[in-house]
Amino acid sequence: MKTVIIGGVAAGLSAASQAKRQSPESEVVVLERSGDVSYAACGMPYNLFFRDKPVEKLYALSLETIRKERGIDYRLRQEVTAIDPVGKVVSVTDLATGKGYQERYDFLVYATGNSAIRLTAPGFDGSDVFCFKTLDDTRHVKQFIYDKAPKRAVLVGAGYTNLEVADVLTNLKIKPVILEKAPTILPSFCEEARAKVLDKVKERGIELITGVDIAEKAGGEVRSSAGVFPADLVVVAVGTRPNTALFAAAGGVLGTAGAAKVDRYLRTNLDSVFAGGDCAEHYVRQLGANSYFPLGPAANKHGRVIGNNVTNPDHMMEFWGIDQTAVFKFFELSIATTGLNERQLQALGKDYVKVFVDSPTRGEFPGGSTMRVVLFCQKGDGLLLGAQIVGEDVVAKRLDVLATAIYKQMTVFEIAELDLAYSPPYSPVWDPILVAANVAVKKV
């Protein structure tokens, strides 16, 4: 049996590794268009801190390990230009030589990821304008920073990426201005959580302007509806788009957000073709339907399921789904969410209660801070529907407790009775999660 995988980052390498693990004798070919093997993209902003640390340190595995230890035929700089789902063959161009060839498959895995949406306004194709999506992007930004020593940056877009980049640039003594088209930032977070982030923006002296339309970049300036901003460096992070043109050209059906439409086994409408990662839909358990939530953990889980299913086509496993759990860092803050957000709850017409508490993160012990815990729970039975935490100290792992509670369909009555670890260096005697749950109990 031969499996060909288009794309070798998170979902692609996970699918290849699982397929070889379960069927060592099978042939697995990975065709990766870039010159980089699978890497941890979430670490890219922080690599900018280290002038002499190569971005290749973000590789998940070395090429030698992938090929020799895992037995995967992993090929770099190989661009698939066409898929023939009837003949079960893909057309490939070797970008190093320019030569074309064809590769036959029994199963095909489409794992091409997504791409940054670029601005088409005049001047945004200059050498001082960057996206921040790939390792090559990171290389270019890093080289520019250390070669050109910019002092002022304009960041277009105020999502996770540019907030992380603003943090890094500020610490590198580069002053950022953030311009956001939407009327507010972080739309998936509720007002109470967002307020904590905006407080930190103000505390750090970062200029953030919302409701901005970008007109052009001319020389060292970005011109917009909010005025003209000097810029030695521009980073555009206004969203991503699934890389599905090749799939659609072969007759593949697209679904949410233009991603490849998949079933619970991650099969597409094309015979023997699976899709996973940031180019595919993601099943959300609480919605009972597919959505689009492109993050590394889901991509790796997609890959593992696909790797199992191509080697066990008569005993396939379902992708169990996600609960929309995510976290990112902004200076001292960790900003985290899981489950349904308030906009989704309102769109679904849920009868819910929202509570939030501000709680210390530790007992009588040096170094503690505060965090804001927001819970969304169902009116009446108290079923936990969603949660958001913004604060300092140990936020992410507390959110993981709530993500687990959502997965197990726990109520705030049950969460309030959890036996969580206590010691002053780690928590007050009443952990912030327990405090929030007890407040919710009184209101449901």
Side-chain angles (χ1 to χ4, degrees), residues 21-43:
R21 188 178 299 115
Q22 295 208 13
S23 180
E25 71 285 355
S26 66
E27 184 179 1
V28 177
V29 178
V30 176
L31 303 170
E32 168 56 43
R33 183 172 60 181
S34 77
D36 292 305
V37 298
S38 181
Y39 56 90
C42 292

Side-chain angles (χ1 to χ4, degrees), residues 119 124 152-170 174-186 197-198 200-202 204-214 222 224-231 233-238 328-331 335:
L119 293 185
F124 279 87
R152 299 164 299 183
V154 170
L155 310 183
V156 183
Y160 294 13
T161 297
N162 266 349
L163 288 176
E164 290 176 332
V165 170
D167 176 350
V168 172
L169 293 183
T170 299
I174 302 169
K175 185 172 178 59
V177 173
I178 306 174
L179 305 179
E180 169 58 49
K181 183 177 179 65
T184 187
I185 67 169
L186 303 177
V197 182
L198 292 173
K200 183 61 66 174
V201 169
K202 184 176 180 180
R204 284 292 182 158
I206 294 175
E207 190 172 2
L208 166 65
I209 306 173
T210 58
V212 180
D213 289 318
I214 302 297
V222 172
S224 75
S225 60
V228 178
F229 300 89
L233 164 72
V234 177
V235 177
V236 177
V238 293
F328 72 98
K329 175 184 175 294
F330 183 59
F331 295 101
I335 303 153

